Amino acid sequence: MQASVHPQHLASRPERQGKEVVLSSIQKSYGTAVALPDLSLVVARGEFCTLLGASGSGKTTLLKIIAGFEAPDAGSVSIAGKDVTRTSIADRNIGMVFQNYALFPHMSVFDNVSFALRMRRLNRDDIKRRVNEALALVSMEQLRERLPRELSGGQQQRVALARALVFRPDILLMDEPLGALDKNLRQAIQLQLKKLHHDLGLTVIFVTHDQDEAMNLSDRIVIVDQGRIIQAGAPEALYRAPQSAFVAGFLGECNFIEQAPGQVLGIRPESVRVGTQLSAADMHHEGRVVTSTFCGLHWKIFIEALGRTIVAYAPAGTDGADRTPGQSVAWGFRSEDAMAFSAP
Amino acid sequence: MTDNALPRPSHAAGQTQWNRNRMALLAALPLLLFLLLFFVGPIGGLLKEGFYRDGTLSLEHFRHLAVTPIYRIVLGNTFTIAAAVTLSCVLMSYPLAYLLATVRPAVARVLFFAVLLPFWSSALVRTSAWIALLGKNGPVNALLTGIGIIDQPMAFLYNFTGVMIGMTHVLMPFVVLPLYASFRAMDNALVQAAQSLGADSAGILRHVVLPLTSPGVVAGAIIVFMNAVGYYITPALMGGPAQRMAAELISYNITEELNWGLAAALAGVLLVTVLLSLWLFNRLFGLDKLISGSAGKGSNTLPAGRTPGGRLSVLAGAVSALFLVLPILIVIPMSFGTSDFPMFPPPHYGLRWYASFFADSKWLAALWSSLRVGLMVTLCASVLGTAAALGVHKMPSARKGWLDALFIIPMSVPAIITAVALFYLMAPLGWVANSVAVTIGHTVLASPYVYITVRAALRSFDPSLELAALSLGASWPSMFRLVILPLLLPSLIGGAVFAFVTSFDDVVMALFLTTIHNRTLPKLMYEGLANDFDPTVISASCLLIVATAVILVANLLLGRKKES
């Protein structure tokens, strides 16, 4: 099951295949419902860019507009400097991996992957060579005669990827492609996807609602809510310096403590210090341990304080007294670890 | 993967949204026009006759229906018989559906065949089998007098009993099939749970089985009632004068009395009843239910053991299954008899009646006529129905509801009404004599079946397959040819088979829309039954049963191949 990229492709990194994508002032409404009020975004050449948002946030609409399945009401889409807003799907040269893979159920793996090449009327030898290359890229050469229903979910995923890559697209679009897979498989494919992205220099636009997936894969995460970009940046930057309580709560866990009216402090669980870890300079609070769970790397302690439940990650060696349910416990944080937000 | 430039797909730019909407409308238009021209228009014209008397607008015909005893009795009969048939269908279907849903798959397949064979074979074939079985000298009476239960042969035919037996037999599958789906969707663990909580058989039936299966049974009952109200053949052949129903009276008023106004008023009453039933069905379940065939499946674990009530139901279910399949099984040996009237078991076996079928040119001519019309109808209905299904599928949802309703209604409206309306329109044009009329009539009747099957297939069709093909560079026509059509083909074939069988089995349309020169096989059989009994009808029936069985088995095998 563990799939690895063929070694020969690791050696040399070819010139970047990907192209730049520019979205300017995209607007889209369905009847009276406004999906995208006014959105602009630049995805750089070779970038792995993830659109992260809850369902209904507009991220899938945006993807459909980039792919050309839907036309924007206003605004433009350009790929490599060329305006493609009115260009048909087929002529945009975009590879797409669908949420449910959308493999043609009546065609073998080979026929699925060769579809785009047949549409481009390549000769038979070229088709064979390119399909084999694409299948080798995802380690699926052995199963080329199978029908999609004879494949496992992870194998179907890889065929869908090969099908989207075989015709050398300018951009690869992926719509929640890992949603249907179990956790272990998902991690294996994430790794493979990252490698492929690195080796081929693709521009990837990836849609997901799973923040871990976004963190694992992306060069840049774009957080979308109600059709607007809330914040965009590298995973680490977003995690360490979220501009709003929404982003802090959406990407990773965060405790919110109300300060003055209209002001909240956000503290990451790993910044919360419990009992003996507290030093004199820290902000101090009192609370009661509700329960605690051992997570391997750390203890996760739930503390009732300030009318809410505070989550703290305490070191694995934390003293028993600081994590026994029912115990009163002192907790706090360094003031520089607290992030100040205006209340949502 | 080193070289970069690949040729772009070799076709012009794709279609805009606007263009696609227009294409959708264009695809649905042929069937729409066809139905307006040959269904809505003629029926409207016929109904108008009901409101005119001597050229002036009046309700005289409806008043006549309400005050004349014979019409009041017939309308009363119609609704009483329809209700009684509905009830008996429900009662007999329950144990059978339970049995179907709870036996091993191999046994279920055999039972299914027993349900589907009569369902697919013509109503006329089944009616003629019953007439042969239940006659004064028929095998049932012979058996009963033989073992001494009764002294004199009992009158099963030409009375209420006859109509009930015949119509229940014809219409029962409409309840069995949805009810079976309800039983399958029901989790068998629920019965075990109820048992573990202390419920007895009656309690399980009342508190678990009935509430969970009632949607299926109500759906089936509405369909049966809707069909029964407009029934013509079975009551006409198996009932007596006291069991006349509205459809027969429509026919009588047109062929004997030439009173179009009264016939139109009667047709109006029937049509309103049917449309009300359909409306009720739509309110309760949505016409969607007619379109999307089978329901979801619950846990398919077989019950560990049956309750005493369950064992009783199994017995009753077996009796129901026997009731469905027995006439068809008995009529086959009877057809190989040599006596002047059918007997079971026949004293001598021979091919006398098959010989008479193949020797008499009128039977072969009728068979040929049926085949010709059937193939023509299959072609027309498949093209019209498939195009319309594709069109409606692609339409913005606001228009869909109306078109779905319009495209489904023709199969629910009693055939007698459509037949009479088309006769009224086409007899003056001379289309009755040259088979155009009957082909059009059957196409009206058969297109909904193609429409429904293809539409159901399109609904389960994953729209991202289409997007995937387009994103990989396919033009719309090549996407249709390479992706949609191959995936739609099994349903298309299924719909076409339905269309053919619909045409090949129909009697009512043929009675009005063909002449002695181009009559179809069912019409000739009807004449053979209605006037004086010609045993060739029995051999003709058996030939049709064999043909049906072959089609059914082929379709089942095709379906299984698709699944594997």
Side-chain angles (χ1 to χ4, degrees), chain A residues 144-167:
Chain A
R144 68 179 66 117
E145 298 310 322
R146 295 268 185 96
L147 287 173
R149 63 165 170 267
E150 296 163 344
L151 300 176
S152 71
Q155 290 167 336
Q156 292 185 20
Q157 219 306 305
R158 279 143 62 193
V159 174
L161 196 57
R163 186 178 72 174
L165 291 175
V166 72
F167 60 100

PDB file of all heavy atoms in Angstrom, chain A residues 144-167:
ATOM      1  N   ARG A 144      -2.825  -1.630 -14.385  1.00  0.00           N
ATOM      2  CA  ARG A 144      -3.389  -0.798 -15.441  1.00  0.00           C
ATOM      3  C   ARG A 144      -4.616  -1.410 -16.109  1.00  0.00           C
ATOM      4  O   ARG A 144      -5.394  -0.690 -16.703  1.00  0.00           O
ATOM      5  CB  ARG A 144      -2.328  -0.467 -16.485  1.00  0.00           C
ATOM      6  CG  ARG A 144      -1.850  -1.631 -17.323  1.00  0.00           C
ATOM      7  CD  ARG A 144      -0.830  -1.132 -18.319  1.00  0.00           C
ATOM      8  NE  ARG A 144       0.359  -0.687 -17.591  1.00  0.00           N
ATOM      9  CZ  ARG A 144       1.562  -1.260 -17.723  1.00  0.00           C
ATOM     10  NH1 ARG A 144       1.753  -2.226 -18.563  1.00  0.00           N
ATOM     11  NH2 ARG A 144       2.576  -0.840 -17.014  1.00  0.00           N
ATOM     12  N   GLU A 145      -4.787  -2.734 -16.015  1.00  0.00           N
ATOM     13  CA  GLU A 145      -5.948  -3.345 -16.679  1.00  0.00           C
ATOM     14  C   GLU A 145      -7.193  -3.384 -15.788  1.00  0.00           C
ATOM     15  O   GLU A 145      -8.266  -3.760 -16.226  1.00  0.00           O
ATOM     16  CB  GLU A 145      -5.617  -4.770 -17.133  1.00  0.00           C
ATOM     17  CG  GLU A 145      -4.497  -4.868 -18.158  1.00  0.00           C
ATOM     18  CD  GLU A 145      -4.690  -3.921 -19.328  1.00  0.00           C
ATOM     19  OE1 GLU A 145      -5.855  -3.742 -19.756  1.00  0.00           O
ATOM     20  OE2 GLU A 145      -3.695  -3.331 -19.802  1.00  0.00           O
ATOM     21  N   ARG A 146      -7.037  -3.014 -14.518  1.00  0.00           N
ATOM     22  CA  ARG A 146      -8.178  -3.109 -13.601  1.00  0.00           C
ATOM     23  C   ARG A 146      -9.236  -2.048 -13.893  1.00  0.00           C
ATOM     24  O   ARG A 146      -8.931  -0.985 -14.422  1.00  0.00           O
ATOM     25  CB  ARG A 146      -7.694  -2.898 -12.159  1.00  0.00           C
ATOM     26  CG  ARG A 146      -6.757  -3.946 -11.643  1.00  0.00           C
ATOM     27  CD  ARG A 146      -7.526  -5.057 -10.937  1.00  0.00           C
ATOM     28  NE  ARG A 146      -6.606  -6.013 -10.340  1.00  0.00           N
ATOM     29  CZ  ARG A 146      -6.234  -5.965  -9.068  1.00  0.00           C
ATOM     30  NH1 ARG A 146      -6.699  -5.018  -8.272  1.00  0.00           N
ATOM     31  NH2 ARG A 146      -5.405  -6.861  -8.581  1.00  0.00           N
ATOM     32  N   LEU A 147     -10.476  -2.362 -13.476  1.00  0.00           N
ATOM     33  CA  LEU A 147     -11.539  -1.359 -13.514  1.00  0.00           C
ATOM     34  C   LEU A 147     -11.527  -0.615 -12.171  1.00  0.00           C
ATOM     35  O   LEU A 147     -11.115  -1.179 -11.158  1.00  0.00           O
ATOM     36  CB  LEU A 147     -12.898  -2.026 -13.720  1.00  0.00           C
ATOM     37  CG  LEU A 147     -13.155  -2.562 -15.127  1.00  0.00           C
ATOM     38  CD1 LEU A 147     -14.454  -3.348 -15.165  1.00  0.00           C
ATOM     39  CD2 LEU A 147     -13.194  -1.424 -16.136  1.00  0.00           C
ATOM     40  N   PRO A 148     -11.999   0.633 -12.171  1.00  0.00           N
ATOM     41  CA  PRO A 148     -11.955   1.408 -10.916  1.00  0.00           C
ATOM     42  C   PRO A 148     -12.566   0.672  -9.731  1.00  0.00           C
ATOM     43  O   PRO A 148     -12.042   0.734  -8.627  1.00  0.00           O
ATOM     44  CB  PRO A 148     -12.769   2.656 -11.260  1.00  0.00           C
ATOM     45  CG  PRO A 148     -12.558   2.841 -12.718  1.00  0.00           C
ATOM     46  CD  PRO A 148     -12.453   1.452 -13.297  1.00  0.00           C
ATOM     47  N   ARG A 149     -13.686  -0.058  -9.954  1.00  0.00           N
ATOM     48  CA  ARG A 149     -14.338  -0.685  -8.797  1.00  0.00           C
ATOM     49  C   ARG A 149     -13.516  -1.840  -8.234  1.00  0.00           C
ATOM     50  O   ARG A 149     -13.807  -2.336  -7.151  1.00  0.00           O
ATOM     51  CB  ARG A 149     -15.745  -1.149  -9.163  1.00  0.00           C
ATOM     52  CG  ARG A 149     -15.797  -2.218 -10.233  1.00  0.00           C
ATOM     53  CD  ARG A 149     -17.170  -2.876 -10.287  1.00  0.00           C
ATOM     54  NE  ARG A 149     -17.280  -3.719 -11.468  1.00  0.00           N
ATOM     55  CZ  ARG A 149     -17.764  -3.315 -12.627  1.00  0.00           C
ATOM     56  NH1 ARG A 149     -18.232  -2.094 -12.749  1.00  0.00           N
ATOM     57  NH2 ARG A 149     -17.807  -4.137 -13.663  1.00  0.00           N
ATOM     58  N   GLU A 150     -12.492  -2.271  -8.978  1.00  0.00           N
ATOM     59  CA  GLU A 150     -11.635  -3.342  -8.470  1.00  0.00           C
ATOM     60  C   GLU A 150     -10.440  -2.793  -7.684  1.00  0.00           C
ATOM     61  O   GLU A 150      -9.547  -3.534  -7.302  1.00  0.00           O
ATOM     62  CB  GLU A 150     -11.124  -4.201  -9.632  1.00  0.00           C
ATOM     63  CG  GLU A 150     -12.247  -4.928 -10.352  1.00  0.00           C
ATOM     64  CD  GLU A 150     -11.848  -5.444 -11.729  1.00  0.00           C
ATOM     65  OE1 GLU A 150     -10.817  -4.994 -12.272  1.00  0.00           O
ATOM     66  OE2 GLU A 150     -12.584  -6.282 -12.253  1.00  0.00           O
ATOM     67  N   LEU A 151     -10.434  -1.482  -7.468  1.00  0.00           N
ATOM     68  CA  LEU A 151      -9.313  -0.855  -6.767  1.00  0.00           C
ATOM     69  C   LEU A 151      -9.751  -0.398  -5.384  1.00  0.00           C
ATOM     70  O   LEU A 151     -10.918  -0.109  -5.153  1.00  0.00           O
ATOM     71  CB  LEU A 151      -8.827   0.372  -7.542  1.00  0.00           C
ATOM     72  CG  LEU A 151      -8.335   0.154  -8.962  1.00  0.00           C
ATOM     73  CD1 LEU A 151      -7.990   1.494  -9.590  1.00  0.00           C
ATOM     74  CD2 LEU A 151      -7.124  -0.767  -8.985  1.00  0.00           C
ATOM     75  N   SER A 152      -8.786  -0.314  -4.462  1.00  0.00           N
ATOM     76  CA  SER A 152      -9.084   0.239  -3.140  1.00  0.00           C
ATOM     77  C   SER A 152      -9.183   1.761  -3.260  1.00  0.00           C
ATOM     78  O   SER A 152      -8.827   2.335  -4.285  1.00  0.00           O
ATOM     79  CB  SER A 152      -7.981  -0.125  -2.173  1.00  0.00           C
ATOM     80  OG  SER A 152      -6.827   0.606  -2.508  1.00  0.00           O
ATOM     81  N   GLY A 153      -9.666   2.388  -2.190  1.00  0.00           N
ATOM     82  CA  GLY A 153      -9.826   3.840  -2.208  1.00  0.00           C
ATOM     83  C   GLY A 153      -8.511   4.570  -2.487  1.00  0.00           C
ATOM     84  O   GLY A 153      -8.455   5.489  -3.294  1.00  0.00           O
ATOM     85  N   GLY A 154      -7.431   4.104  -1.864  1.00  0.00           N
ATOM     86  CA  GLY A 154      -6.147   4.751  -2.054  1.00  0.00           C
ATOM     87  C   GLY A 154      -5.636   4.579  -3.478  1.00  0.00           C
ATOM     88  O   GLY A 154      -5.064   5.504  -4.057  1.00  0.00           O
ATOM     89  N   GLN A 155      -5.900   3.393  -4.052  1.00  0.00           N
ATOM     90  CA  GLN A 155      -5.469   3.154  -5.435  1.00  0.00           C
ATOM     91  C   GLN A 155      -6.253   4.032  -6.405  1.00  0.00           C
ATOM     92  O   GLN A 155      -5.689   4.600  -7.348  1.00  0.00           O
ATOM     93  CB  GLN A 155      -5.643   1.676  -5.787  1.00  0.00           C
ATOM     94  CG  GLN A 155      -4.656   0.775  -5.061  1.00  0.00           C
ATOM     95  CD  GLN A 155      -5.009  -0.699  -5.155  1.00  0.00           C
ATOM     96  OE1 GLN A 155      -6.177  -1.042  -5.368  1.00  0.00           O
ATOM     97  NE2 GLN A 155      -4.036  -1.557  -4.975  1.00  0.00           N
ATOM     98  N   GLN A 156      -7.558   4.160  -6.159  1.00  0.00           N
ATOM     99  CA  GLN A 156      -8.377   5.022  -7.008  1.00  0.00           C
ATOM    100  C   GLN A 156      -7.853   6.450  -6.953  1.00  0.00           C
ATOM    101  O   GLN A 156      -7.767   7.148  -7.970  1.00  0.00           O
ATOM    102  CB  GLN A 156      -9.835   5.001  -6.540  1.00  0.00           C
ATOM    103  CG  GLN A 156     -10.511   3.667  -6.763  1.00  0.00           C
ATOM    104  CD  GLN A 156     -11.992   3.716  -6.390  1.00  0.00           C
ATOM    105  OE1 GLN A 156     -12.603   4.769  -6.311  1.00  0.00           O
ATOM    106  NE2 GLN A 156     -12.576   2.568  -6.158  1.00  0.00           N
ATOM    107  N   GLN A 157      -7.518   6.889  -5.745  1.00  0.00           N
ATOM    108  CA  GLN A 157      -6.956   8.204  -5.528  1.00  0.00           C
ATOM    109  C   GLN A 157      -5.733   8.430  -6.411  1.00  0.00           C
ATOM    110  O   GLN A 157      -5.606   9.443  -7.082  1.00  0.00           O
ATOM    111  CB  GLN A 157      -6.545   8.251  -4.060  1.00  0.00           C
ATOM    112  CG  GLN A 157      -6.775   9.529  -3.300  1.00  0.00           C
ATOM    113  CD  GLN A 157      -6.180  10.700  -3.952  1.00  0.00           C
ATOM    114  OE1 GLN A 157      -4.988  10.699  -4.240  1.00  0.00           O
ATOM    115  NE2 GLN A 157      -7.003  11.696  -4.207  1.00  0.00           N
ATOM    116  N   ARG A 158      -4.853   7.423  -6.422  1.00  0.00           N
ATOM    117  CA  ARG A 158      -3.610   7.569  -7.178  1.00  0.00           C
ATOM    118  C   ARG A 158      -3.863   7.553  -8.682  1.00  0.00           C
ATOM    119  O   ARG A 158      -3.197   8.268  -9.436  1.00  0.00           O
ATOM    120  CB  ARG A 158      -2.631   6.471  -6.771  1.00  0.00           C
ATOM    121  CG  ARG A 158      -1.909   6.849  -5.470  1.00  0.00           C
ATOM    122  CD  ARG A 158      -1.672   5.687  -4.564  1.00  0.00           C
ATOM    123  NE  ARG A 158      -0.823   4.667  -5.153  1.00  0.00           N
ATOM    124  CZ  ARG A 158      -0.683   3.451  -4.649  1.00  0.00           C
ATOM    125  NH1 ARG A 158      -1.342   3.109  -3.554  1.00  0.00           N
ATOM    126  NH2 ARG A 158       0.090   2.580  -5.241  1.00  0.00           N
ATOM    127  N   VAL A 159      -4.859   6.751  -9.107  1.00  0.00           N
ATOM    128  CA  VAL A 159      -5.198   6.758 -10.534  1.00  0.00           C
ATOM    129  C   VAL A 159      -5.732   8.132 -10.924  1.00  0.00           C
ATOM    130  O   VAL A 159      -5.377   8.691 -11.972  1.00  0.00           O
ATOM    131  CB  VAL A 159      -6.251   5.672 -10.864  1.00  0.00           C
ATOM    132  CG1 VAL A 159      -6.691   5.792 -12.317  1.00  0.00           C
ATOM    133  CG2 VAL A 159      -5.675   4.295 -10.598  1.00  0.00           C
ATOM    134  N   ALA A 160      -6.579   8.694 -10.055  1.00  0.00           N
ATOM    135  CA  ALA A 160      -7.138  10.020 -10.337  1.00  0.00           C
ATOM    136  C   ALA A 160      -6.012  11.048 -10.465  1.00  0.00           C
ATOM    137  O   ALA A 160      -6.041  11.921 -11.330  1.00  0.00           O
ATOM    138  CB  ALA A 160      -8.106  10.421  -9.236  1.00  0.00           C
ATOM    139  N   LEU A 161      -5.004  10.898  -9.618  1.00  0.00           N
ATOM    140  CA  LEU A 161      -3.858  11.810  -9.665  1.00  0.00           C
ATOM    141  C   LEU A 161      -3.085  11.637 -10.976  1.00  0.00           C
ATOM    142  O   LEU A 161      -2.735  12.617 -11.639  1.00  0.00           O
ATOM    143  CB  LEU A 161      -2.956  11.516  -8.457  1.00  0.00           C
ATOM    144  CG  LEU A 161      -1.919  12.550  -8.085  1.00  0.00           C
ATOM    145  CD1 LEU A 161      -2.575  13.897  -7.834  1.00  0.00           C
ATOM    146  CD2 LEU A 161      -1.166  12.101  -6.835  1.00  0.00           C
ATOM    147  N   ALA A 162      -2.856  10.380 -11.350  1.00  0.00           N
ATOM    148  CA  ALA A 162      -2.138  10.113 -12.598  1.00  0.00           C
ATOM    149  C   ALA A 162      -2.917  10.675 -13.790  1.00  0.00           C
ATOM    150  O   ALA A 162      -2.346  11.259 -14.716  1.00  0.00           O
ATOM    151  CB  ALA A 162      -1.925   8.609 -12.771  1.00  0.00           C
ATOM    152  N   ARG A 163      -4.242  10.510 -13.752  1.00  0.00           N
ATOM    153  CA  ARG A 163      -5.073  10.987 -14.857  1.00  0.00           C
ATOM    154  C   ARG A 163      -4.987  12.507 -14.973  1.00  0.00           C
ATOM    155  O   ARG A 163      -5.027  13.062 -16.070  1.00  0.00           O
ATOM    156  CB  ARG A 163      -6.523  10.549 -14.641  1.00  0.00           C
ATOM    157  CG  ARG A 163      -7.427  10.881 -15.799  1.00  0.00           C
ATOM    158  CD  ARG A 163      -8.836  10.396 -15.590  1.00  0.00           C
ATOM    159  NE  ARG A 163      -9.523  11.196 -14.573  1.00  0.00           N
ATOM    160  CZ  ARG A 163     -10.818  11.049 -14.269  1.00  0.00           C
ATOM    161  NH1 ARG A 163     -11.532  10.123 -14.881  1.00  0.00           N
ATOM    162  NH2 ARG A 163     -11.381  11.799 -13.341  1.00  0.00           N
ATOM    163  N   ALA A 164      -4.885  13.181 -13.814  1.00  0.00           N
ATOM    164  CA  ALA A 164      -4.841  14.640 -13.832  1.00  0.00           C
ATOM    165  C   ALA A 164      -3.465  15.167 -14.224  1.00  0.00           C
ATOM    166  O   ALA A 164      -3.334  16.302 -14.645  1.00  0.00           O
ATOM    167  CB  ALA A 164      -5.243  15.184 -12.468  1.00  0.00           C
ATOM    168  N   LEU A 165      -2.433  14.314 -14.096  1.00  0.00           N
ATOM    169  CA  LEU A 165      -1.069  14.789 -14.367  1.00  0.00           C
ATOM    170  C   LEU A 165      -0.573  14.425 -15.757  1.00  0.00           C
ATOM    171  O   LEU A 165       0.350  15.056 -16.260  1.00  0.00           O
ATOM    172  CB  LEU A 165      -0.094  14.208 -13.333  1.00  0.00           C
ATOM    173  CG  LEU A 165      -0.239  14.728 -11.908  1.00  0.00           C
ATOM    174  CD1 LEU A 165       0.694  13.976 -10.974  1.00  0.00           C
ATOM    175  CD2 LEU A 165       0.058  16.221 -11.868  1.00  0.00           C
ATOM    176  N   VAL A 166      -1.183  13.418 -16.380  1.00  0.00           N
ATOM    177  CA  VAL A 166      -0.593  12.801 -17.566  1.00  0.00           C
ATOM    178  C   VAL A 166      -0.474  13.778 -18.732  1.00  0.00           C
ATOM    179  O   VAL A 166       0.423  13.649 -19.555  1.00  0.00           O
ATOM    180  CB  VAL A 166      -1.399  11.547 -17.975  1.00  0.00           C
ATOM    181  CG1 VAL A 166      -2.740  11.930 -18.568  1.00  0.00           C
ATOM    182  CG2 VAL A 166      -0.606  10.674 -18.921  1.00  0.00           C
ATOM    183  N   PHE A 167      -1.357  14.766 -18.805  1.00  0.00           N
ATOM    184  CA  PHE A 167      -1.315  15.657 -19.971  1.00  0.00           C
ATOM    185  C   PHE A 167      -0.567  16.963 -19.651  1.00  0.00           C
ATOM    186  O   PHE A 167      -0.678  17.955 -20.337  1.00  0.00           O
ATOM    187  CB  PHE A 167      -2.724  15.947 -20.489  1.00  0.00           C
ATOM    188  CG  PHE A 167      -3.646  16.605 -19.491  1.00  0.00           C
ATOM    189  CD1 PHE A 167      -3.875  17.962 -19.530  1.00  0.00           C
ATOM    190  CD2 PHE A 167      -4.308  15.841 -18.531  1.00  0.00           C
ATOM    191  CE1 PHE A 167      -4.721  18.570 -18.618  1.00  0.00           C
ATOM    192  CE2 PHE A 167      -5.158  16.451 -17.619  1.00  0.00           C
ATOM    193  CZ  PHE A 167      -5.360  17.818 -17.661  1.00  0.00           C
TER     194      PHE A 167
END
